[in-house]
Amino acid sequence: RYLLEQDFPGMRIGPEPTTDSFIAVMYGDTEGNVPGNALVVDPKKPFRKLSRFGNAFLNRFMCSQLPNQVLKSISIIDSPGILSGEKQRISRGYDFCQVLQWFAERVDRIILLFDAHKLDISDEFSEAIKSFRGQDDKIRVVLNKADQVDTQQLMRVYGALMWSLGKVIDTPEVLRVYIGSFWAHPLRNTENRRLFEAEAQDLFKDIQSLPQKAAVRKLNDLIKRARLAKVHAYIISYLKKEMPSVFGKENKKKELINKLPEIYIQLQREYHISAGDFPEVKKMQELLENCDFTKFHSLKPKLIEAVDNMLANKIASLMNLIRQEESNMPTEMVHGGAFDGTMAGPFGHGYGEGAKEGADEDEWVVAKDKPAYDEIFYTLSPINGKISGISAKKEMVTSKLPNSVLGKIWKLADCDGDGMLDDEEFALAKHLIKIKLDGYELPGTLPSHLVPPSHRKPFQTAE
C-alpha cells in the first residue's frame, strides 16, 4: 500500500491479521480480481504449477490487477498474515511453508516485515523463515512503525530483533535490516526522521535495481538448477547401481536411504563436488521413501559432459550477451507511487544537506561562518593574503580526520592549484571539514555553488 500509494482490489489493512490470502498484485489495464482456480489455468500468468497445492490453497489465492505505474516494473506477492498464539494450531488446509518455498524460489526479493512495538517471531513465522533456506541472498528485513518508539527503545528493539533472527536464520552473515515508518501517517517520534529517510531511500534503491538484475538472476537460477541436476544424476545412478538384481530389494532400499549421508561424502570425494551442491539429506530421504530404485537410470557420461560444457563455456557467452543488451538498453527503473516522492524537488533525499546545502541560494553558503574562520586564518600568519600548506595542515589535522580525507579536502579547497590557501579557500576547507564531521559524503568535484566568489569565472558576454 505504501509503495503503490493506492488501494488494490482485495486489500484490507487493520491491527488484526487481515490478509488471509496470497494476493499477486500485478499490472492490468483495468482494476479487478482473478480467483486462484482461474489463475492457474491462464497460460499468460506464471502460476500454473501452483495447481498441485489443491483447492484449499487455490481458494485462498487471487490476482489483483490495477493500472499502477509501479507494477509496470515489478509484481508483488502479498502473503497472508502470520498466525501466532492459539491461532497457529488451526490448520490452514494447505502446506503454507511449501507454498512460501515455491514463491521464494521464483521471486527476486523477499521482505520480512516486523512491527517495532509488536516484536515477536511466532512458531509459524519461524517455520516460514526456515522455508526460505537457500534463498538467504534475497531476504531483506523491514522494521516498520519505528516512529512509535523513542531512540533508546528503538536501539533495544533492533538488538532484540537481530538476536531473534540469529536464532531462526542459521547463517554467518547479518541480514540487512531497514528501519522506518512505511505508511503515510505523521511520525509520532520525529527524533529519528533523518535515519528513517536514509533507510527508506536505501530500500527504494534496492527495489529499483530489481528490473535491471532480473536477467542475471534468471541465469543464476539456471546455473543452480544445472549443478543440482548433475548431483541428482550422480545420487540416482549410485542408488541404481547398488540395488540387487533379484532378492532383498526392499531391505537394500532402506539401508541405502539410511546411509545417504555417507553416500554424499563418497560422491563428493569421487567426483570432486562441493558439499553445498547436494540437496538436503532429510528432504531427500523423505522423497526416496516413495521411489522404486530399480526404475532409476544409470549414469550417462555424455549428458554430464554436456552440462559441464554449458557451465564452463556457454554461460560465459550468455553473460556477455546480457551485459551487451543492458548497455544498449535504457536503464530500467521502478517509477510511480512512493518511488517518485523522493526522486526530485526539495524533499528528495539529501536535498539541501551536506555538500548540497546552499545550492539554490544566491549568497555563498560558507559566508555565514566566514568571520569565525577568518579569525583562525589570521592566527596562521598569512603572507600576501595566503597561508602555506604546512600552516593549513596544522589547523586541519585538529579535526582528527584521516589524512586521506584531509588530502581530498585540500584538493577541493585549493581552487587555483597554487599549493596555498587564501582566506576564502581556507573558509571553504573548514566548511568541507564540517560537512564530513556532520556525517555527509564529500563531493567528487567541487559544486559550482561552493566555489569561492573571487575564484568564479566571469560570464563571457557576446559582443
Side-chain angles (χ1 to χ4, degrees):
R1 173 66 183 80
Y2 177 76
L3 293 177
L4 301 179
E5 288 189 341
Q6 74 173 96
D7 292 353
F8 54 86
M11 184 197 84
R12 195 162 68 86
I13 298 171
E16 77 282 8
T18 48
T19 315
D20 64 345
S21 302
F22 279 89
I23 304 177
V25 188
M26 303 176 84
Y27 184 82
D29 293 328
T30 53
E31 262 191 46
N33 279 335
V34 182
N37 280 293
L39 203 54
V40 293
V41 293
D42 185 349
K44 291 179 183 174
K45 295 279 190 292
F47 303 119
R48 301 190 82 164
K49 294 281 176 72
L50 282 167
S51 57
R52 68 186 172 94
F53 294 107
N55 267 335
F57 164 70
L58 295 177
N59 291 336
R60 292 265 172 256
F61 178 47
M62 61 188 263
C63 177
S64 184
Q65 292 183 317
L66 65 157
N68 185 292
Q69 203 180 356
V70 174
L71 299 173
K72 282 186 175 180
S73 309
I74 55 171
S75 295
I76 302 165
I77 308 293
D78 181 24
S79 64
I82 294 290
L83 303 176
S84 59
E86 197 58 40
K87 292 195 247 25
Q88 293 178 94
R89 315 217 186 323
I90 304 162
S91 172
R92 289 182 184 267
Y94 61 90
D95 195 328
F96 180 60
C97 289
Q98 283 284 314
V99 175
L100 286 178
Q101 197 174 350
W102 189 91
F103 279 115
E105 285 168 4
R106 288 156 180 83
V107 298
D108 294 275
R109 189 64 75 239
I110 300 163
I111 296 176
L112 305 178
L113 278 159
F114 292 88
D115 277 7
H117 60 91
K118 286 191 293 190
L119 196 64
D120 171 41
I121 299 183
S122 65
D123 294 348
E124 188 177 58
F125 202 178
S126 180
E127 288 301 311
I129 295 169
K130 282 174 186 170
S131 69
F132 300 141
R133 200 155 280 162
Q135 313 293 335
D136 305 333
D137 57 319
K138 297 178 181 179
I139 298 175
R140 301 288 183 272
V141 178
V142 169
L143 183 58
N144 196 16
K145 299 179 188 172
D147 65 314
Q148 303 204 0
V149 293
D150 60 35
T151 306
Q152 187 183 19
Q153 288 170 324
L154 183 58
M155 186 181 72
R156 294 179 195 278
V157 166
Y158 179 80
L161 174 63
M162 297 307 284
W163 182 80
S164 303
L165 284 171
K167 284 168 60 178
V168 178
I169 299 174
D170 190 19
T171 172
E173 292 91 13
V174 176
L175 284 173
R176 177 67 168 96
V177 177
Y178 299 93
I179 302 166
S181 182
F182 297 93
W183 60 355
H185 295 265
L187 299 177
R188 198 171 285 183
N189 281 310
T190 55
E191 53 200 37
N192 293 313
R193 186 186 188 111
R194 257 187 66 194
L195 168 71
F196 299 159
E197 283 172 6
E199 291 284 283
Q201 201 61 28
D202 285 354
L203 179 61
F204 285 176
K205 277 180 189 167
D206 187 63
I207 295 170
Q208 283 183 311
S209 69
L210 295 179
Q212 283 175 279
K213 294 175 182 172
V216 176
R217 186 195 61 79
K218 283 171 187 166
L219 190 61
N220 188 48
D221 281 356
L222 174 68
I223 297 163
K224 256 196 217 175
R225 287 171 71 102
R227 290 165 75 102
L228 196 59
K230 197 173 107 173
V231 172
H232 267 279
Y234 286 132
I235 297 166
I236 296 304
S237 61
Y238 181 89
L239 295 173
K240 160 89 172 172
K241 192 173 70 179
E242 292 295 306
M243 285 298 281
S245 52
V246 187
F247 301 111
K249 289 180 184 177
E250 207 53 44
N251 290 337
K252 188 65 179 174
K253 177 182 166 179
K254 283 176 186 169
E255 186 193 320
L256 287 169
I257 289 171
N258 291 333
K259 274 174 63 183
L260 199 60
E262 295 159 46
I263 293 168
Y264 277 14
I265 294 163
Q266 193 179 327
L267 293 172
Q268 277 173 49
R269 288 189 192 133
E270 193 177 336
Y271 297 106
H272 309 290
I273 307 166
S274 165
D277 285 352
F278 282 84
E280 202 184 326
V281 175
K282 214 172 185 181
K283 192 180 173 186
M284 194 67 175
Q285 284 172 326
E286 285 171 16
L287 291 168
L288 289 170
E289 288 280 354
N290 305 316
C291 297
D292 183 354
F293 289 11
T294 55
K295 288 182 180 173
F296 287 166
H297 292 281
S298 301
L299 193 68
K300 292 173 181 167
K302 275 193 176 178
L303 291 177
I304 298 290
E305 205 178 298
V307 173
D308 286 337
N309 178 43
M310 181 198 70
L311 292 171
N313 306 312
K314 302 279 171 68
I315 292 293
S317 57
L318 255 177
M319 197 72 204
N320 285 332
L321 282 170
I322 288 170
R323 285 202 189 104
Q324 281 171 25
E325 198 171 288
E326 280 178 353
S327 62
N328 294 333
M329 286 170 71
T331 307
E332 197 179 341
M333 296 286 273
V334 182
H335 290 286
F339 295 97
D340 284 353
T342 55
M343 280 182 184
F347 296 97
H349 179 61
Y351 188 93
E353 295 175 2
K356 295 173 187 172
E357 188 189 350
D360 50 3
E361 291 173 20
D362 293 332
E363 194 184 354
W364 188 40
V365 70
V366 185
K368 62 180 186 290
D369 297 316
K370 193 170 180 291
Y373 298 147
D374 282 350
E375 281 181 33
I376 302 166
F377 179 77
Y378 290 111
T379 63
L380 300 172
S381 311
I383 299 163
N384 298 327
K386 293 193 172 193
I387 57 169
S388 66
I390 295 166
S391 301
K393 183 182 176 181
K394 283 176 187 171
E395 172 57 32
M396 286 168 76
V397 293
T398 60
S399 66
K400 298 182 182 176
L401 287 170
N403 282 358
S404 57
V405 175
L406 292 173
K408 188 175 180 183
I409 289 170
W410 173 269
K411 270 187 186 176
L412 292 168
D414 185 11
C415 298
D416 51 15
D418 64 351
M420 302 180 88
L421 300 181
D422 61 26
D423 61 326
E424 285 187 344
E425 289 174 323
F426 178 76
L428 174 60
K430 291 292 282 181
H431 180 73
L432 292 169
I433 286 170
K434 182 175 173 286
I435 286 170
K436 191 66 186 169
L437 291 175
D438 287 345
Y440 297 101
E441 287 304 311
L442 292 171
T445 54
L446 193 67
S448 56
H449 70 277
L450 285 182
V451 176
S454 64
H455 291 271
R456 291 177 188 176
K457 290 174 185 172
F459 289 109
Q460 295 293 318
T461 53
E463 288 184 12

